[in-house]
Amino acid sequence: MEILKGAAVAEALTKRLAEEVKTMTSPPVLATVRVGERPDDISYERGAKNRMAKIGIKVEPYVLPEDISQEKFLEIFDQLNEAEHIDGILLFRPLPKHLDEAAILSRIAQDKDVDGIGPENMAKIFAGETDGFAPCTAQAVIEILDHAGIDLTGKRVTVVGRSLVIGKPVAMLLIQKNATVTVCHTRTRDLAKTCQQAEVLIAAAGKANMIGAEEVGKDAVVIDVGINVNEEGKICGDVNFDEIKEIASAATPVPGGVGAVTTSVLAEHVVRAARLHGKSAK
Ligand code: NAP
């Protein structure tokens, strides 16, 4: 089984973007917005900052108190939306429960929504328009398949998970690539059989080891989006790698697979936003 490592995909993207940024009139700027001190957010913030630095993208971190009011949050968010020098905004989620997340998501400026969280970008992805920003993790799945040279045309692809962050947008991006897509969720009957029929299987359920030998068809390509912590406290995906290695033709590892590509896709979106904002050399 071939192991589809994210690092190679991330490095290729990073190299191309760094070359482009060198030619820009001023560096692209990403504002990161974190509310509180969630370890997951801090870790992603660090990873994003390192990746942006490699490319020449400036990061402006905004860290807001856990108990910030909706009104104050929106006041700051609006300032970022309006600030001319900022090209993209990355908002860490989930937000604390007392904040109205839906209202906040619908407020983000479409041209700065580099993580595809707002309704306008979501609509573009569903309409098959290519000038929107897809959620970075969903796009990272496509980048990995493209980099591996896997032609999706006419392929049977099964996605496990139907969230707005991954499952649904990735299904739309796969349809755009002419795949025949089935989306599974907790109410799916005979999940194993549906998965086993897939030529490409995307696991995005967030359940450690739920995809094993029973769920993977011979020579399938398996993309594991899940990030879970197993009983030993280690990071693992949704796929039982040991069980599928004699069956699948290729699979992404966790860690080191999809997650490794996500921040590069974010960078690609920030550079694209900077281009839209007129930072390309004439
Ligand atoms: P989510 O909002 O919890 O959605 C999970 C989806 O999986 C739901 O649609 C759920 O079905 C389905 N599901 C859960 N258990 C299932 C089961 N046993 N059988 C069939 N379907 C099942 O999670 P998410 O935000 O989409 O994230 C999914 C995973 O990706 C998580 O592990 C998350 O940590 C990871 N993630 C990875 C990255 C990355 O960069 N690699 C980025 C973000 C998230 P229902 O709709 O029926 O409930």
Side-chain angles (χ1 to χ4, degrees):
M1 182 181 80
E2 185 188 350
I3 297 176
L4 303 174
K5 289 198 177 145
V9 188
E11 286 315 314
L13 261 170
T14 300
K15 202 164 160 240
R16 175 168 71 72
L17 293 168
E19 288 301 317
E20 181 173 351
V21 168
K22 275 189 213 152
T23 69
M24 290 185 140
T25 52
S26 62
V29 178
L30 172 70
T32 58
V33 182
R34 166 159 65 82
V35 181
E37 303 292 328
R38 277 176 16 110
D40 286 4
D41 294 346
I42 294 170
S43 151
Y44 188 47
E45 188 182 64
R46 196 183 311 118
K49 203 170 152 223
N50 291 342
R51 179 64 61 186
M52 301 307 139
K54 283 187 186 164
I55 293 167
I57 295 170
K58 274 193 183 168
V59 177
E60 281 187 15
Y62 292 83
V63 180
L64 308 176
E66 174 88 35
D67 60 353
I68 191 167
S69 68
Q70 178 84 3
E71 201 184 9
K72 185 69 190 161
F73 183 94
L74 288 177
E75 188 189 315
I76 294 167
F77 208 56
D78 284 347
Q79 284 167 8
L80 301 179
N81 274 332
E82 282 156 25
E84 271 188 25
H85 72 289
I86 292 174
D87 297 299
I89 300 171
L90 174 68
L91 172 66
F92 295 103
R93 292 186 294 154
L95 292 167
K97 292 260 182 295
H98 69 278
L99 294 174
D100 180 352
E101 191 164 301
I104 290 167
L105 299 189
S106 63
R107 194 90 154 213
I108 192 163
Q110 191 261 323
D111 61 312
K112 295 189 180 184
D113 179 15
V114 288
D115 199 18
I117 58 174
E120 286 155 317
N121 275 311
M122 205 56 89
K124 278 181 182 283
I125 301 311
F126 278 66
E129 292 171 21
T130 52
D131 62 339
F133 297 112
C136 294
T137 305
Q139 181 71 41
V141 170
I142 304 294
E143 295 292 336
I144 289 179
L145 291 167
D146 276 353
H147 188 89
I150 294 158
D151 181 9
L152 291 162
T153 305
K155 291 242 164 75
R156 287 185 309 276
V157 182
T158 296
V159 179
V160 184
R162 58 174 165 179
S163 75
L164 264 184
V165 184
I166 304 168
K168 282 177 184 159
V170 89
M172 292 302 130
L173 296 174
L174 290 161
I175 290 172
Q176 202 56 29
K177 291 265 184 191
N178 298 315
T180 302
V181 182
T182 305
V183 179
C184 298
H185 43 79
T186 52
R187 308 292 175 90
T188 299
R189 264 186 281 128
D190 208 351
L191 182 105
K193 192 171 160 207
T194 309
C195 290
Q196 209 184 65
Q197 284 166 350
E199 293 165 276
V200 177
L201 178 62
I202 318 282
K207 291 276 172 303
N209 290 327
M210 76 165 281
I211 303 293
E214 293 276 291
E215 285 78 21
V216 174
K218 184 84 190 120
D219 292 334
V221 173
V222 182
I223 308 291
D224 192 352
V225 185
I227 301 178
N228 312 294
V229 179
N230 68 13
E231 287 153 2
E232 293 142 34
K234 286 196 181 140
I235 298 284
C236 69
D238 290 355
V239 177
N240 185 330
F241 218 69
D242 281 342
E243 274 194 24
I244 68 147
K245 67 183 180 209
E246 305 296 330
I247 308 167
S249 63
T252 57
V254 178
V258 176
V261 181
T262 305
T263 54
S264 304
V265 170
L266 175 68
E268 199 265 321
H269 289 177
V270 179
V271 171
R272 183 142 58 88
R275 228 184 280 145
L276 284 174
H277 296 147
K279 289 187 177 174
S280 291
K282 294 281 179 291

